Amino acid sequence: MQNKLAFVLGGGGSRGAMQVGALRALHEAGIHPDLLVGTSIGAANAVFLSIHGYTLDGLGKLEQIWRSTVLQDLLPTHFWWQLMRSLFQRSGGLSQSKIREFAIANGITPEMRFCDIQGAALFLVAADMNARQPVIFGQDPQDFILDSLLASMALPPWVAPQQAEGRYLVDGGFISNLPIQAALLQGATQIIALDLFEPNDVDTSAHGLRPFIWRLDKTVEYRQEQLELELAKARGVPVHLISLVSEAPVPIWDFHNSIELIEHGYQLTRQAMAEWDSFLEPWQRKSGIWQKLFGLTKK
């Protein structure tokens, strides 16, 4: 069976900037994916990387895109006001057009299909609440990338669910925030998972509806992640989980710290890779780069 290394990019809103730094560290180490699988903001990073290329130049463009988010109000911060508005009014989502325009301005044109992607195969994950199952875009090469991305990022109240052909599509993070299972279904034999799960952004002493919803979300997200990790283990697929946790909790809608988070993700990934010296052979890497970066030798 052909070896396939998958980069799995989880959801986490503005914390997705850390994945950009992580990808730069992986590229410097000569690690190249065969598959890119993402959900929510991880889907956005996977798409931008696919379009601009997994090269130094492409990663530089991805960093520039994230640097520009510092000045963008992509997810307005009045969360609870927006939630009530979306519940009692018919709305297309307060940020949907803004995110769509941002994506188009950065190279994701409406007519672009998955079959147009060069390099690593691209797959995006959304959740179908009617079928209670994940939906993997990219399995059909004729899927439109922009529509698929907006489905994967359909997080109310900012982006409205997509309803068509009997499906009710929302953000993939609702059902698989670190889409390891999707990577397995696409034939991954090894996985590097860039996880944005933030365990410390819930005040365990707080009471009321908002803390309850936040705890519920974190509990479901963590449980789903553990189940998908166990599934990979049961199938004999090694997963290197890189936990990209910010030094201080960052709300998913706050993009003001993108520049600092990129660098933080880079450093966290270098630290994680320093422990991977026993897991080198099956990966596609440039000869000698790993040893030069970390002073490691193969066992």
Side-chain angles (χ1 to χ4, degrees):
M1 182 173 62
Q2 180 183 3
N3 286 327
K4 289 186 179 180
L5 172 62
F7 285 1
V8 171
L9 282 62
S14 62
R15 295 194 291 268
M18 289 187 285
Q19 291 178 342
V20 181
L23 290 165
R24 174 157 55 91
L26 291 167
H27 185 274
E28 287 180 357
I31 302 173
H32 295 257
D34 301 294
L35 309 173
L36 285 170
V37 183
T39 194
S40 196
I41 197 64
N45 280 333
V47 170
F48 284 128
L49 191 64
S50 294
I51 290 173
H52 296 296
Y54 185 63
T55 62
L56 288 178
D57 182 61
L59 287 165
K61 290 178 180 177
L62 182 58
E63 287 193 23
Q64 188 58 43
I65 289 170
W66 270 94
R67 289 175 183 272
S68 73
T69 65
V70 174
L71 303 176
Q72 301 277 342
D73 192 21
L74 294 175
L75 302 179
T77 57
H78 301 294
F79 177 81
W80 290 102
W81 174 82
Q82 292 177 77
L83 180 58
M84 292 302 104
R85 178 177 173 180
S86 67
L87 286 174
F88 294 107
Q89 297 184 26
R90 295 181 64 86
S91 171
L94 297 179
S95 297
Q96 187 157 326
S97 61
K98 185 177 294 186
I99 292 174
R100 188 176 190 276
E101 291 167 4
F102 182 81
I104 293 173
N106 287 283
I108 308 175
T109 58
E111 68 276 6
M112 190 173 291
R113 301 174 188 265
F114 283 83
C115 59
D116 299 322
I117 294 296
Q118 304 296 317
L122 174 67
F123 300 96
L124 310 181
V125 179
D128 183 354
M129 295 186 70
N130 284 344
R132 298 172 294 280
Q133 293 290 335
V135 175
I136 305 175
F137 293 105
Q139 292 179 318
D140 181 351
Q142 297 303 316
D143 285 339
F144 288 103
I145 292 176
L146 181 57
D147 290 343
S148 302
L149 175 59
L150 290 174
S152 183
M153 298 181 68
L155 179 62
W158 294 291
V159 180
Q162 291 187 12
Q163 301 182 59
E165 300 178 352
R167 298 196 298 189
Y168 191 90
L169 301 178
V170 296
D171 190 295
F174 283 116
I175 200 168
S176 181
N177 202 51
L178 191 66
I180 290 170
Q181 182 186 28
L184 295 173
L185 290 172
Q186 303 314 311
T189 58
Q190 309 207 38
I191 294 172
I192 296 176
L194 303 182
D195 186 15
L196 299 174
F197 180 77
E198 173 54 75
N200 300 317
D201 63 354
V202 176
D203 183 357
T204 56
S205 65
H207 301 282
L209 179 60
R210 181 173 179 173
F212 169 78
I213 293 175
W214 218 243
R215 286 192 189 99
L216 176 62
D217 174 71
K218 290 297 176 182
T219 300
V220 173
E221 180 181 333
Y222 179 77
R223 179 60 175 161
Q224 182 65 35
E225 179 179 307
Q226 295 305 304
L227 289 173
E228 296 199 33
L229 286 167
E230 286 297 322
L231 178 61
K233 182 178 180 181
R235 295 189 179 182
V237 176
V239 177
H240 270 273
L241 183 68
I242 301 179
S243 296
L244 299 173
V245 179
S246 53
E247 293 180 337
V250 176
I252 62 172
W253 54 80
D254 184 359
F255 287 81
H256 293 97
N257 301 299
S258 294
I259 296 173
E260 294 82 2
L261 289 176
I262 291 172
E263 182 60 28
H264 186 59
Y266 175 79
Q267 296 299 336
L268 287 175
T269 303
R270 283 180 58 89
Q271 293 170 18
M273 288 192 296
E275 301 176 3
W276 292 359
D277 54 330
S278 62
F279 194 61
L280 300 180
E281 285 293 341
W283 291 351
Q284 302 171 8
R285 11 171 124 255
K286 297 176 183 176
S287 176
I289 290 182
W290 188 271
Q291 287 76 13
K292 291 178 183 177
L293 282 173
F294 300 103
L296 298 174
T297 56
K298 298 181 182 180
K299 292 184 177 180

